[in-house]
């Protein structure tokens, strides 16, 4: 399926509106991804005489019929379905956040999406959902984001993890396996896995794919067999480094359970963050494609630079580039001027960081190196600056080029 086209008829199950029934009334034809990015979650606004989505900051909502309120809460406790009618309380749901959830589900091609206060809150909710069903075992493929690795390895939520490579997933499954987790392209090596093959190896066990680096612009894991798609929405979905959030796109059954965990644990997304994320989605395809073009050019230049030992750039493209240097990686971090030396990624400005010192510092050094995270590896999130300005900054930060060996004289060359 072409990831640039999104339509409910393309899915195994029909998409469900996350906030208003007016959405289905106005969506009568397939729409390109760029169009969905602009209009999903907003299709009802014009009929209400609105252009920008409203920001609903209420934490509680009045209701004079307490019996009906009790019935709605009982229904939520049963299956976690979204409450019909007016909202009740902020931890049960928020109209502004629901618009973002609707839009992200449209872009990922899933029935629903559930937003959280951070990407780690989102992953924690998934683990709690599966653990509550007695399925505490997780099979995972390294590398993952460092904190995801730590959460699984340390068993902080009572889970047990088996680390394996993609070929070993089927053999690692147990009766109590509740989840298989992969990240592709992976953080920070940008290693890729064959999602269809992995999904097949999972059998009936749900596959969770961290799609933070690729975004639905470059791949839609649900179309390749993933049942859950995780995003640190702090990154590309928000896109401006000013909002922290996480989201899981999935089927309605799992979404209901995730909403119940979110309600119980309180990892809710603030409405203003929901608004900023919805706005960020509207430019997501433009930002990802522009930054990806620059990243590909920088990757090519780095690959031909004698100061660089190895370059990692995924086959699906994207705005992330990782590279290993011959010299001191810390000197490169300290030498940038235009590029921002900071953790995180997906912003409009270019960021560079040393994973072994920051994003993956929490992972055991041997495990980190075994997953390909070399101590000389640098991870760069390419933004929207001009490629020549970025290259000039990188060139300075990389330091002096090694002197070429002296050219032999004619007599020496022939002797």
């Amino acid at each position: 399926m072409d990831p640039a086209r999104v339509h409910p008829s393309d899915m195994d199950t029909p998409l469900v509106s996350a906030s208003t029934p007016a959405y289905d009334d106005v969506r009568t034809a397939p729409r390109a991804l760029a169009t969905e990015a602009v209009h999903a979650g907003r299709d009802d606004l014009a009929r209400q005489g609105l252009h920008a989505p409203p920001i609903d900051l209420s934490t509680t909502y009045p209701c004079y019929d307490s019996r009906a309120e009790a019935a709605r809460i009982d229904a939520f406790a049963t299956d976690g379905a979204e409450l019909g009618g007016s909202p009740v309380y902020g931890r049960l749901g928020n109209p502004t956040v629901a618009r973002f959830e609707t839009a992200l589900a449209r872009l990922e091609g899933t029935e629903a999406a559930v937003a959280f206060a951070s990407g780690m809150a989102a992953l924690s909710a998934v683990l709690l959902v599966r653990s509550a069903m007695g399925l505490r075992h997780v099979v995972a493929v390294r590398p993952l984001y460092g904190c995801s690795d730590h959460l699984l390895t340390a068993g902080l939520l009572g889970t047990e993890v088996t680390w394996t490579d993609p070929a070993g997933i089927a053999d690692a499954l147990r009766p109590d396996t509740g989840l298989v987790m992969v990240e592709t392209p992976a953080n920070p090596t940008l290693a890729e896995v064959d999602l269809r093959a992995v999904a097949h190896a999972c059998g009936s066990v749900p596959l969770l794919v961290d799609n933070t680096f690729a975004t639905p612009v470059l791949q839609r894991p649900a179309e390749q067999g993933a049942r859950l798609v995780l995003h640190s929405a702090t990154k590309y979905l928000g896109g401006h480094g000013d909002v922290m959030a996480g989201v899981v796109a999935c089927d309605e059954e799992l979404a209901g359970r995730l909403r119940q965990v979110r309600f119980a644990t309180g990892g809710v997304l603030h409405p203003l963050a929901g608004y900023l994320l919805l706005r960020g989605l509207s430019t997501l395809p433009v930002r990802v494609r522009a930054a990806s073009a620059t990243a590909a050019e920088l990757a090519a230049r780095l690959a031909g630079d004698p100061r660089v030992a190895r370059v990692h750039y995924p086959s699906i493209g994207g705005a992330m580039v990782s590279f290993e240097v011959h010299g001191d990686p810390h000197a490169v971090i300290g030498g940038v001027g235009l590029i921002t030396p900071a953790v995180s990624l997906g912003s409009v400005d270019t960021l560079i960081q040393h994973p072994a010192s920051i994003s993956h510092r929490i992972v055991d050094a041997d495990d980190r190196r075994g997953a390909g995270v070399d101590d000389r590896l640098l991870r760069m999130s390419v933004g929207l600056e001009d490629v020549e300005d970025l290259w000039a900054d990188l060139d300075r930060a990389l330091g002096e080029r090694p002197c070429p060996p002296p050219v032999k004289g004619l007599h020496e060359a022939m002797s």
Side-chain angles (χ1 to χ4, degrees), residues 234-299:
T234 307
K235 313 306 193 294
Y236 286 104
L237 302 189
H240 294 77
D242 55 7
V243 59
M244 183 169 288
V247 64
V248 179
C250 56
D251 57 71
E252 180 57 33
E253 179 185 353
L254 280 172
R257 294 182 179 275
L258 289 170
R259 293 186 196 106
Q260 291 172 327
V261 168
R262 181 178 64 181
F263 171 71
T265 60
V268 296
L269 184 66
H270 192 276
L272 181 57
Y275 173 85
L276 290 173
L277 288 167
L278 184 63
R279 187 177 67 173
L281 289 184
S282 64
T283 60
L284 178 66
V286 176
R287 288 187 286 106
V288 168
R289 287 167 182 151
S292 297
T294 301
E297 175 62 23
L298 291 175

Side-chain angles (χ1 to χ4, degrees), residues 22-23 26-27 31 39-47 99:
Y23 292 170
V26 298
R27 297 181 73 254
R31 303 198 301 201
H39 289 280
R42 306 170 182 84
D43 283 314
D44 63 321
L45 293 178
R47 295 185 178 188
R99 289 183 179 277

Side-chain angles (χ1 to χ4, degrees), residues 49-103:
L50 299 172
H51 185 226
I55 304 174
D56 189 332
L57 295 174
S58 296
T59 58
T60 191
Y61 299 84
C63 178
Y64 291 98
D65 188 346
S66 56
R67 291 187 180 87
E69 206 85 320
R72 296 167 69 208
I73 293 174
D74 288 345
F76 178 84
T78 299
D79 58 14
E82 290 188 292
L83 299 176
S86 299
V88 176
Y89 186 62
R91 273 194 291 119
L92 283 166
N94 173 272
T96 306
V97 173
R99 289 183 179 277
F100 164 65
E101 292 171 331
T102 294

Side-chain angles (χ1 to χ4, degrees), residues 42 103 131 148 166 228 294 368:
R42 306 170 182 84
S131 293
S148 300
L228 302 110
T294 301
R368 188 172 66 229

